[in-house]
Amino acid sequence: MQTLGIDAKSPVVFDMIAEMDRPSFQGGVSFEQFLQVVAQRLGDQRTREGIDRIFDLFDTDRTESISFGNLKRVTKELGDVLNDEEIRDVLTRSGSNSAELSRDDFFNIMTKKTFG
């Protein structure tokens, strides 16, 4: 969580995990649900600047894309809310090249323009 700018012992982390441990998430957490929980805690998802800030928290290697490794790291820090297969599915369904999410792909997901 430190790479996301949050102290791992912060109540915010425990709140995010608790949020994703509700009965409504039984059977798994979709990437869209995961992003909503993260965005509620880390940035304003109503503005391009806020979405870019959230993107930058995922893109720790500064490649201007979110890779499998980036997503795996974040989900692991949040308690493995997505397994490897779900992460690959997210990249395949959401990314323009199925190996990673570009900044525009991420923006489209966050504004619900293309995810589905």
Side-chain angles (χ1 to χ4, degrees):
M1 290 307 298
Q2 290 173 330
T3 56
L4 293 175
I6 300 173
D7 180 359
K9 296 178 184 172
S10 167
V12 172
V13 174
F14 296 108
D15 287 347
M16 282 191 280
I17 293 168
E19 178 83 14
M20 289 180 273
D21 197 28
R22 294 182 315 190
S24 60
F25 291 123
Q26 293 299 319
V29 176
S30 73
F31 184 62
E32 186 174 45
Q33 292 167 323
F34 169 75
L35 280 179
Q36 286 173 348
V37 171
V38 171
Q40 288 170 354
R41 304 290 195 274
L42 301 180
D44 182 357
Q45 60 186 2
R46 296 176 305 255
T47 66
R48 181 67 190 223
E49 182 178 279
I51 292 170
D52 283 344
R53 180 176 179 264
I54 297 166
F55 178 89
D56 291 339
L57 295 173
F58 282 84
D59 180 26
T60 55
D61 51 4
R62 302 296 178 240
T63 61
E64 287 299 307
S65 64
I66 298 172
S67 66
F68 176 89
N70 295 134
L71 285 177
K72 180 70 176 173
R73 177 189 47 77
V74 172
T75 62
K76 184 175 179 108
E77 289 178 0
L78 292 174
D80 288 324
V81 295
L82 298 174
N83 64 36
D84 289 359
E85 183 180 331
E86 291 168 326
I87 293 170
R88 282 187 203 93
D89 186 49
V90 164
L91 293 173
T92 299
R93 290 177 41 207
S94 307
S96 54
N97 72 14
S98 80
E100 57 194 17
L101 298 175
S102 69
R103 191 173 291 272
D104 287 336
D105 294 332
F106 189 78
F107 181 80
N108 289 334
I109 292 167
M110 295 298 290
T111 57
K112 299 178 179 58
K113 290 180 179 175
T114 63
F115 194 82

